[in-house]
Amino acid sequence: MASLIPSFFGSRKTNVFDPFSLDIWDPFEGLFSSTLATVPASSGEASAFVNARIDWKETPEAHVFKADLPGLKKEEVKVEVEEGRILQISGERSKEQEGKNDKWHRIERSSGKFLRRFRLPENAKMDQVKASMENGVLTVTIPKAEEKKAEVKAIEISG
């Protein structure tokens, strides 16, 4: 899919006119296989929620993911770690129950399943993943292994 505006973020794909685009930015694009996975909504149900938006930032200490999941409880969200340093975030927002005498005038809030997967770099400590949810924002923190600095050892010259 071609971008509609020039990108200021390297290979990041942008499409400002399609907020539900399935394009995803992968900082390791080309180094690994695709990081995008989606779970189709049930047939006949198109859902904007299928592609939950998630920010990924790297600090000196950790990789931090933040996902806006308004209206979801932590019990409705799953955070999993798979082999190959894959972080998977998934969940489902159920459709609101319709009463027999209800008359809907507008339905804009989305429902359905979402699933996002991210391949993390070698420095991610996958055994120390922590997740918390507050005010509809899921935060997943994955500490980074310390970079090993090359040791310089002086060699005494004999003679």
Side-chain angles (χ1 to χ4, degrees):
M1 177 183 305
S3 176
L4 297 176
I5 60 171
S7 175
F8 299 103
F9 303 102
S11 66
R12 183 175 188 167
K13 298 176 181 117
T14 57
N15 190 341
V16 293
F17 298 109
D18 182 7
F20 309 125
S21 168
L22 293 179
D23 286 352
I24 178 173
W25 178 60
D26 179 3
F28 306 101
E29 189 169 29
L31 297 176
F32 307 103
S33 60
S34 172
T35 62
L36 175 66
T38 59
V39 175
S42 62
S43 60
E45 176 186 320
S47 171
F49 200 63
V50 167
N51 195 28
R53 300 295 183 185
I54 299 176
D55 295 339
W56 173 4
K57 77 175 175 180
E58 182 175 352
T59 68
E61 300 81 31
H63 294 275
V64 180
F65 293 81
K66 288 196 181 246
D68 289 338
L69 304 172
L72 286 184
K73 299 178 189 113
K74 67 180 184 176
E75 296 80 23
E76 298 170 312
V77 178
K78 280 202 309 194
V79 177
E80 300 170 302
V81 174
E82 297 179 7
E83 272 187 59
R85 296 179 326 280
I86 305 284
L87 172 69
Q88 180 171 296
I89 301 171
S90 61
E92 181 173 8
R93 176 180 291 147
S94 302
K95 269 184 145 176
E96 194 160 318
Q97 296 299 316
E98 295 182 30
K100 209 160 92 173
N101 297 321
D102 291 348
K103 178 181 177 185
W104 290 89
H105 293 278
R106 191 168 196 88
I107 298 175
E108 292 184 350
R109 296 183 317 137
S110 57
S111 62
K113 296 179 182 181
F114 71 92
L115 180 129
R116 296 292 302 276
R117 301 176 80 208
F118 301 90
R119 185 180 304 273
L120 294 163
E122 296 281 342
N123 66 357
K125 291 183 175 182
M126 301 303 287
D127 58 336
Q128 296 180 23
V129 177
K130 291 192 178 2
S132 64
M133 191 142 166
E134 189 174 334
N135 297 326
V137 178
L138 173 70
T139 302
V140 180
T141 304
I142 302 140
K144 289 170 38 179
E146 289 184 35
E147 286 185 35
K148 294 185 177 160
K149 296 186 171 82
E151 269 188 48
V152 177
K153 182 179 175 186
I155 307 297
E156 194 174 319
I157 301 171
S158 61

